[in-house]
Amino acid sequence: MKIPKGFSFAAMNAGIKTLRKDMALVYSELPCSAAGVLTVNKARAAPVEDAAGRLPGSGFRAIVVNSGNANALTGPEGREDVAAIHAALGKALGVPRESVLSASTGVIGVRLPVQKLILGCAGLARSRSDAIVGAAEAIMTTDTRVKLTHRVVSVGGIAVTIAAFCKGAGMIAPEMATMLAFLTTDASIDPKTLQGMLERATLASFNNLTVDNDMSTNDAVFLLANGASGAPPLRDKAELANFEAQLTSICVELARAIAEDGEGATKLVEVRVSGAPDLATARDLAKSVAGSSLVKAAIFGADPNWGRVLSAIGARAGSRGYPVDPHAARVTIQGDVVFDLGRPAHKDPASLRAKMREPQVKIDVDLRKGSGEATSWGCDLSYDYVKINADYTSLTQASPEGVVSRDDRLTRYSPSFKRALLVEALSYIQKFDGKRAVVKYGGAAMVKDSLKASFANDINLLRSAGLLPVVVHGGGPEISRTLEKLGAGKSEFVDGIRVTGAEDVKVVEMVLTGRINSEIVSLLNQEDANAVGVSGKDAGLLRARRLYGKDGRDLGMVGEITQVNHMYLSMLLEKGYVPIISPVGLGEDGEGYNINADTAAAEIAVSLKAEKLIYLTDVAGILDHEELISEISAKDLRAKIDSGSIRGGMAAKAESILRALDGGVTSVHVIDGRTPHGLIAELFTDTGIGTLVRRD
Ligand code: ADP
Ligand code: MG
């Protein structure tokens, strides 16, 4: 993350929330041109009202943001509190109070604990640094991860940076649905030009976002330009256009991130309408499709229900009087044409359904009328969304001292919700209690923050359902990167297994045990999962001998497991620990051997007599000619391997799966680690989401 020259940031807990960061600061050493796009809600919050009267403008130095309390519908006191905070921050920073802007997000109708914020201002001023991430964290409410990005643009041959962070509209209660974005740049731009650019960028991005249909009292996008890059003031037409394109691309990236992180969302939905009579019509229609509850529910269920898409277009066009004809449109879902020339066009619904299980679903509607074209972003509508929303309002509480917290004790949910939850949970607890499940953790689920968080969550859920999870992790991409960085060049793979030289195996061990393993342990223990990191060398957990390729080929320090110290693992499991195993084997020669994580997971599952073995990977499951196999027997899987339709990394997995089933594991699942909470969906629903391999 690169930040523009002359800007610094700060974040802290000022006591509005119980523990999490709740105040953020954006500060510029030089006075800035400032622009803002603010909510048109008539019940605007006090800080928004304040900014509206002063933007666009120049001479601005700082923005102070708080989360936890929206300072909306708080009467004249709300405005007084804003003034007091601006004065306090101005004093702490040694800048005029008029140079301070502010924004708030959180509960509506509760007065700000203004003394806490005033003290907070002093703390923020003291702790300024280039750590923009902290600021991005401090503005989160229902967001599950930070959202920030940057671009570098050349102006007059000098590099200019634009950096931005935002928080999204959680799809839940309207009082929490605020979207805030803060953009900073070291370009030199006059306020009027800046305002025009920001308005157009917002129109093409945040305004095409539909998370819920409520407009917040606090929505705000701010842009500060301080000129500290030393680049000449932006006036040249081509350069202005280039800068605006990058600014827009930042806003689009953030808008997509917000949609992806919608409450309860499992998929990002992108709707592109082209061939509309004009741009405004295209935008409105794209948004009406992305916002349609029926379309969103169909996408959650991976149902290619194009009728709902055209129905949404038709309904909106009809009520607004747009001159468009849905019958003449062409509709494409995930690249497959589903409706064209007045009739259904699709031939292979099964393959389209498989494509719709991807974490991003794209719908294209060509109206064949004009040149208007626009994209809108949203998310699917999941069971989770309804569950959360059905009970949300009673959960947010503000104490008399202004501390906002969530009381989600079970007692506060409605009786019907509790009943459903308990019945569902109890049946699984009975089924799973005391059973062992080995999970191979790999792919995007190990890289992407939101997926990491959902994985940690799922492991805890498995534990609370009585299951005893064991995690075996891979580390492929990171090992490759490190080896390449160290000048070892690209690794050679034979049947999905990395040929590992004597020097390489030290790097493999360093990355797997030293870095990845300890990261996973910390991730899980942030959620009190009782995770312990174990290398295959510890307690002689994985004994190994040298493995040779099919035709006797030398694979270097690659090992196969000869024995698993399952007593040691059983002891950890009995004591309530979650073992996190890095697949390094201990050879008779005392050397470390690189063991394919898929085979390690299988051997461990066999030796532990595990009920389940689960592979998290970056495809929907085991595919047969691009079609997901949702259930298959060991015998049929063998036939598929022999026919050559399973290759590379999946071939290594398939062999491991057969080995595990042969060794007594009851069922093996291959699931899409790119889908949040896939682990839960596979185990706790009857149909599941990935591939289930049964014994013959
Ligand atoms: P991981 O990091 O989870 O071990 P791999 O890349 O080693 O993932 O293995 C999964 C890969 O195997 C898939 O991404 C895909 O490219 C490849 N593959 C080959 N044949 C198949 C198949 N029939 N079904 C699914 N994936 C396959
Ligand atoms: Mg692999």
mmCIF file of all heavy atoms in Angstrom, residues 12 39-40 61 84 89 134 184 195 242 268 285 327 352 457 511 519 684 689 692:
data_model
loop_
_atom_site.group_PDB
_atom_site.id
_atom_site.type_symbol
_atom_site.label_atom_id
_atom_site.label_comp_id
_atom_site.label_asym_id
_atom_site.label_seq_id
_atom_site.Cartn_x
_atom_site.Cartn_y
_atom_site.Cartn_z
ATOM 1 N N MET A 12 -7.549 4.684 16.915
ATOM 2 C CA MET A 12 -7.510 4.314 18.335
ATOM 3 C C MET A 12 -8.882 3.883 18.828
ATOM 4 O O MET A 12 -9.880 4.053 18.149
ATOM 5 C CB MET A 12 -7.056 5.510 19.170
ATOM 6 C CG MET A 12 -8.088 6.634 19.171
ATOM 7 S SD MET A 12 -7.583 8.055 20.135
ATOM 8 C CE MET A 12 -7.421 7.336 21.748
ATOM 9 N N THR A 39 -24.688 12.090 1.315
ATOM 10 C CA THR A 39 -26.012 11.487 1.180
ATOM 11 C C THR A 39 -27.064 12.560 0.877
ATOM 12 O O THR A 39 -26.953 13.700 1.350
ATOM 13 C CB THR A 39 -26.403 10.730 2.464
ATOM 14 O OG1 THR A 39 -27.684 10.145 2.281
ATOM 15 C CG2 THR A 39 -26.450 11.629 3.675
ATOM 16 N N VAL A 40 -28.082 12.212 0.102
ATOM 17 C CA VAL A 40 -29.166 13.160 -0.152
ATOM 18 C C VAL A 40 -30.334 12.900 0.807
ATOM 19 O O VAL A 40 -31.383 13.517 0.693
ATOM 20 C CB VAL A 40 -29.654 13.097 -1.617
ATOM 21 C CG1 VAL A 40 -28.577 13.574 -2.543
ATOM 22 C CG2 VAL A 40 -30.100 11.690 -1.996
ATOM 23 N N ARG A 61 -7.159 20.432 6.356
ATOM 24 C CA ARG A 61 -5.986 19.726 6.868
ATOM 25 C C ARG A 61 -6.284 18.336 7.415
ATOM 26 O O ARG A 61 -5.385 17.511 7.512
ATOM 27 C CB ARG A 61 -5.331 20.553 7.999
ATOM 28 C CG ARG A 61 -4.847 21.933 7.574
ATOM 29 C CD ARG A 61 -3.641 21.841 6.649
ATOM 30 N NE ARG A 61 -2.509 21.230 7.286
ATOM 31 C CZ ARG A 61 -1.615 21.876 8.028
ATOM 32 N NH1 ARG A 61 -1.720 23.167 8.211
ATOM 33 N NH2 ARG A 61 -0.607 21.226 8.578
ATOM 34 N N ALA A 84 -17.324 21.096 18.725
ATOM 35 C CA ALA A 84 -16.392 20.876 19.838
ATOM 36 C C ALA A 84 -15.262 19.939 19.410
ATOM 37 O O ALA A 84 -14.097 20.138 19.780
ATOM 38 C CB ALA A 84 -17.145 20.291 21.029
ATOM 39 N N LEU A 89 -9.648 18.872 17.830
ATOM 40 C CA LEU A 89 -8.651 18.313 16.914
ATOM 41 C C LEU A 89 -7.749 19.420 16.368
ATOM 42 O O LEU A 89 -6.527 19.257 16.262
ATOM 43 C CB LEU A 89 -9.316 17.547 15.766
ATOM 44 C CG LEU A 89 -8.310 16.801 14.893
ATOM 45 C CD1 LEU A 89 -7.697 15.632 15.644
ATOM 46 C CD2 LEU A 89 -8.940 16.295 13.601
ATOM 47 N N GLY A 134 -4.775 0.955 9.987
ATOM 48 C CA GLY A 134 -5.424 1.174 11.278
ATOM 49 C C GLY A 134 -6.650 2.059 11.115
ATOM 50 O O GLY A 134 -7.715 1.789 11.680
ATOM 51 N N THR A 184 -7.373 10.218 -0.667
ATOM 52 C CA THR A 184 -6.347 11.242 -0.498
ATOM 53 C C THR A 184 -5.413 11.186 -1.695
ATOM 54 O O THR A 184 -5.171 10.108 -2.242
ATOM 55 C CB THR A 184 -5.507 10.972 0.766
ATOM 56 O OG1 THR A 184 -5.014 9.633 0.705
ATOM 57 C CG2 THR A 184 -6.323 11.132 2.019
ATOM 58 N N GLN A 195 -14.121 18.424 -7.221
ATOM 59 C CA GLN A 195 -15.512 18.080 -6.928
ATOM 60 C C GLN A 195 -16.167 17.410 -8.139
ATOM 61 O O GLN A 195 -16.840 16.393 -8.008
ATOM 62 C CB GLN A 195 -16.287 19.355 -6.521
ATOM 63 C CG GLN A 195 -17.753 19.134 -6.174
ATOM 64 C CD GLN A 195 -17.946 18.381 -4.857
ATOM 65 O OE1 GLN A 195 -17.086 18.420 -3.977
ATOM 66 N NE2 GLN A 195 -19.058 17.670 -4.720
ATOM 67 N N ASN A 242 -6.805 11.092 -17.460
ATOM 68 C CA ASN A 242 -6.084 9.939 -16.928
ATOM 69 C C ASN A 242 -6.245 9.833 -15.414
ATOM 70 O O ASN A 242 -6.519 8.767 -14.862
ATOM 71 C CB ASN A 242 -4.603 10.071 -17.313
ATOM 72 C CG ASN A 242 -3.819 8.848 -16.898
ATOM 73 O OD1 ASN A 242 -4.368 7.747 -16.887
ATOM 74 N ND2 ASN A 242 -2.577 9.047 -16.517
ATOM 75 N N LEU A 268 -20.441 -12.067 -4.971
ATOM 76 C CA LEU A 268 -20.492 -10.731 -5.562
ATOM 77 C C LEU A 268 -21.280 -10.835 -6.868
ATOM 78 O O LEU A 268 -21.035 -11.729 -7.674
ATOM 79 C CB LEU A 268 -19.073 -10.244 -5.857
ATOM 80 C CG LEU A 268 -18.953 -8.970 -6.700
ATOM 81 C CD1 LEU A 268 -19.449 -7.751 -5.934
ATOM 82 C CD2 LEU A 268 -17.504 -8.732 -7.109
ATOM 83 N N LEU A 285 -31.358 0.691 -14.700
ATOM 84 C CA LEU A 285 -31.801 -0.679 -14.970
ATOM 85 C C LEU A 285 -30.832 -1.702 -14.381
ATOM 86 O O LEU A 285 -31.251 -2.713 -13.811
ATOM 87 C CB LEU A 285 -31.965 -0.902 -16.479
ATOM 88 C CG LEU A 285 -33.161 -0.170 -17.108
ATOM 89 C CD1 LEU A 285 -33.186 -0.367 -18.618
ATOM 90 C CD2 LEU A 285 -34.478 -0.653 -16.494
ATOM 91 N N HIS A 327 -38.170 -8.006 -24.659
ATOM 92 C CA HIS A 327 -38.245 -9.143 -25.594
ATOM 93 C C HIS A 327 -37.089 -9.135 -26.590
ATOM 94 O O HIS A 327 -36.698 -10.175 -27.107
ATOM 95 C CB HIS A 327 -39.569 -9.128 -26.360
ATOM 96 C CG HIS A 327 -40.762 -9.215 -25.454
ATOM 97 N ND1 HIS A 327 -41.422 -8.107 -24.992
ATOM 98 C CD2 HIS A 327 -41.355 -10.283 -24.893
ATOM 99 C CE1 HIS A 327 -42.406 -8.489 -24.197
ATOM 100 N NE2 HIS A 327 -42.387 -9.807 -24.116
ATOM 101 N N LEU A 352 -24.134 -24.424 -16.495
ATOM 102 C CA LEU A 352 -24.292 -23.041 -16.046
ATOM 103 C C LEU A 352 -24.471 -22.987 -14.528
ATOM 104 O O LEU A 352 -23.909 -22.129 -13.852
ATOM 105 C CB LEU A 352 -25.480 -22.381 -16.754
ATOM 106 C CG LEU A 352 -25.770 -20.932 -16.359
ATOM 107 C CD1 LEU A 352 -24.532 -20.058 -16.443
ATOM 108 C CD2 LEU A 352 -26.884 -20.346 -17.208
ATOM 109 N N ASN A 457 -13.715 -19.213 11.844
ATOM 110 C CA ASN A 457 -15.066 -19.295 12.373
ATOM 111 C C ASN A 457 -15.649 -20.704 12.263
ATOM 112 O O ASN A 457 -16.235 -21.243 13.201
ATOM 113 C CB ASN A 457 -15.901 -18.369 11.478
ATOM 114 C CG ASN A 457 -16.849 -17.566 12.268
ATOM 115 O OD1 ASN A 457 -17.504 -18.127 13.136
ATOM 116 N ND2 ASN A 457 -16.912 -16.279 11.985
ATOM 117 N N VAL A 511 9.166 -22.237 5.307
ATOM 118 C CA VAL A 511 7.895 -21.594 4.951
ATOM 119 C C VAL A 511 6.725 -22.302 5.629
ATOM 120 O O VAL A 511 5.862 -21.674 6.234
ATOM 121 C CB VAL A 511 7.702 -21.583 3.414
ATOM 122 C CG1 VAL A 511 6.323 -21.061 3.051
ATOM 123 C CG2 VAL A 511 8.770 -20.735 2.747
ATOM 124 N N GLU A 519 1.159 -18.743 11.348
ATOM 125 C CA GLU A 519 0.096 -17.787 11.002
ATOM 126 C C GLU A 519 -1.289 -18.388 11.214
ATOM 127 O O GLU A 519 -2.205 -17.731 11.692
ATOM 128 C CB GLU A 519 0.228 -17.351 9.536
ATOM 129 C CG GLU A 519 1.085 -16.123 9.378
ATOM 130 C CD GLU A 519 1.299 -15.760 7.912
ATOM 131 O OE1 GLU A 519 0.434 -16.103 7.080
ATOM 132 O OE2 GLU A 519 2.339 -15.155 7.616
ATOM 133 N N PHE A 684 -23.145 -29.518 7.132
ATOM 134 C CA PHE A 684 -24.382 -29.327 7.873
ATOM 135 C C PHE A 684 -25.613 -29.240 6.978
ATOM 136 O O PHE A 684 -26.653 -28.801 7.408
ATOM 137 C CB PHE A 684 -24.284 -28.078 8.767
ATOM 138 C CG PHE A 684 -23.343 -28.242 9.928
ATOM 139 C CD1 PHE A 684 -22.027 -28.627 9.729
ATOM 140 C CD2 PHE A 684 -23.764 -28.016 11.229
ATOM 141 C CE1 PHE A 684 -21.159 -28.784 10.792
ATOM 142 C CE2 PHE A 684 -22.891 -28.168 12.296
ATOM 143 C CZ PHE A 684 -21.576 -28.558 12.081
ATOM 144 N N ILE A 689 -22.194 -28.942 -1.000
ATOM 145 C CA ILE A 689 -21.880 -28.010 -2.080
ATOM 146 C C ILE A 689 -20.749 -28.490 -2.979
ATOM 147 O O ILE A 689 -20.613 -28.024 -4.093
ATOM 148 C CB ILE A 689 -21.510 -26.613 -1.530
ATOM 149 C CG1 ILE A 689 -20.370 -26.740 -0.524
ATOM 150 C CG2 ILE A 689 -22.688 -25.921 -0.920
ATOM 151 C CD1 ILE A 689 -19.627 -25.448 -0.334
ATOM 152 N N LEU A 692 -18.659 -35.229 -2.885
ATOM 153 C CA LEU A 692 -18.591 -36.204 -1.797
ATOM 154 C C LEU A 692 -18.165 -37.538 -2.399
ATOM 155 O O LEU A 692 -18.780 -38.018 -3.353
ATOM 156 C CB LEU A 692 -19.969 -36.332 -1.138
ATOM 157 C CG LEU A 692 -20.179 -37.546 -0.226
ATOM 158 C CD1 LEU A 692 -19.273 -37.482 1.000
ATOM 159 C CD2 LEU A 692 -21.636 -37.626 0.219
#
